[in-house]
Amino acid sequence: MTDLRITGLIKSYDDATRVLDGLDLTVPDGRLAAVLGPSGCGKTTMLRILAGFLRADGGTVELGGQVVAGPGVHLPPERRRIGIVPQEGALFPHLNVARNVAFGLPGVPVAERRRRTEEMLELVGLPGYGNRMPHELSGGQQQRIALARALAPEPGLVLLDEPFNALDSALRAGVRADVRAALRATGATGVLVTHDQQEALSTADLVAVVRAGRVAQCAAPEEVYRSPADPWVAGFVGDAVLLPGTVEGATALTALGPVPLAAHSGAVGTGKDSTDSTVSGGTGTVVLRPEQLTLTEAGVDRPPGTVVDVHFYGHDAMVVVAVPGLDTPVSVRVSGPVGVRPGEKTGIAVTGRTVLYSAP
């Protein structure tokens, strides 16, 4: 078993600022967790502590039940059975592909080292590439070789430090899929640090959103997207429409009209069933996703808005609409023909249910 358990992790670089402030995270055996958060939230510091490159000021790190970092314990990197895939591959330029992959196998008999290297190259979809030099590979191929090198010693945990940043958008999806398939094939537990919300949601089994040195929410990607822990998480993970709302029975009254509350709304901060916990007149923030909004004719419950801008992405478009009573325009995701232009009037209808979060 190679489950990862981080408890109360603390790290400061000076006396004034804590980069990690009691971070907790559990990644079950064989799962890939994406750690997502803004710059400076502590993602890279956490990764370096996991790898053994930094000592924590407090807390513990357990891998497969063994404490590798904690009070009086700091296992050196080479004894942690952890593989690392850095940004841009970082292959050794003077070694061919086979020797790069076998770099972490010192002391292994030659025949076994050769077999393991060929197995890893096959796993990442690059059989027969052993004699090539790193400069003869594309960026995506280099990342695959870096993954093969990390997996060759059969680590219990693989750390991926924003490994797709240097790839163009056409390559990223394919390389992400290959990396995910290779991790599943070996059964290794993985931690992917990224700034890319789409990458985190589409690649990982778990998404951990880090804010100010702590995990604000850790759950399956769909749960983080559809049931965010608070408005900040909603706005950080994907596009979100945040509206002031007032509770009236089982609905929230907003500038877009009345919106049904979910059965387990976060209304007034209780997180209990809305029929028991929601008090009419309570106020807070309503969270909607742009795909819950549709353009329609204006009506009594649908005050007319003005189209401010249209962003076309090919597979869909985002229509930005200024709505009376709101300081910030709302975004409406349109999957078919847009049908409106900047300056035109439109109504907005809401589909589905929402959650209303009380003010902190």
Side-chain angles (χ1 to χ4, degrees), residues 153 242 311:
L242 307 180
H311 305 289

Side-chain angles (χ1 to χ4, degrees), residues 53 84-97 99-101 103 133-135 137-150 159 161-167:
F53 301 152
I84 302 173
V85 182
Q87 297 183 32
E88 302 181 25
L91 301 179
F92 301 113
H94 62 293
L95 301 180
N96 65 16
V97 164
R99 293 177 67 190
N100 264 281
V101 174
F103 186 81
M133 299 300 291
H135 69 269
L137 305 177
S138 68
Q141 290 170 337
Q142 290 184 27
Q143 285 304 110
R144 290 182 176 92
I145 298 302
L147 177 65
R149 180 179 61 187
L159 306 177
D161 185 12
E162 303 195 52
F164 314 116
N165 268 12
L167 304 181

Side-chain angles (χ1 to χ4, degrees), residues 74-215:
H74 181 79
L75 213 62
E78 65 274 13
R79 293 179 55 196
R80 295 193 180 196
R81 291 189 59 240
I82 292 177
I84 302 173
V85 182
Q87 297 183 32
E88 302 181 25
L91 301 179
F92 301 113
H94 62 293
L95 301 180
N96 65 16
V97 164
R99 293 177 67 190
N100 264 281
V101 174
F103 186 81
L105 302 172
V108 176
V110 174
E112 173 61 19
R113 187 163 63 243
R114 184 180 297 114
R115 184 200 65 78
R116 185 65 178 165
T117 298
E118 292 174 354
E119 181 183 337
M120 290 298 99
L121 290 177
E122 182 78 32
L123 184 67
V124 299
L126 295 174
Y129 276 64
N131 290 325
R132 298 200 186 187
M133 299 300 291
H135 69 269
E136 298 175 320
L137 305 177
S138 68
Q141 290 170 337
Q142 290 184 27
Q143 285 304 110
R144 290 182 176 92
I145 298 302
L147 177 65
R149 180 179 61 187
L151 292 174
E154 300 182 285
L157 176 67
V158 177
L159 306 177
L160 302 106
D161 185 12
E162 303 195 52
F164 314 116
N165 268 12
L167 304 181
D168 59 53
S169 58
L171 277 177
R172 285 184 188 178
V175 176
R176 282 200 302 256
D178 291 341
V179 168
R180 186 71 188 98
L183 289 173
R184 282 179 174 164
T186 60
T189 304
V191 175
L192 166 67
V193 166
T194 179
H195 284 91
D196 189 326
Q197 292 94 336
Q198 182 181 2
E199 181 175 289
L201 294 172
S202 64
T203 307
D205 300 306
L206 295 171
V207 174
V209 185
V210 178
R211 173 179 57 204
R214 295 184 179 184
V215 174

Side-chain angles (χ1 to χ4, degrees), residues 243-249 251-254 261 278-284 286 356:
L243 306 172
T246 302
V247 178
E248 185 174 284
T251 65
L253 303 182
T254 74
L261 288 169
T278 303
V279 179
S280 291
T283 61
V286 166
L356 185 145

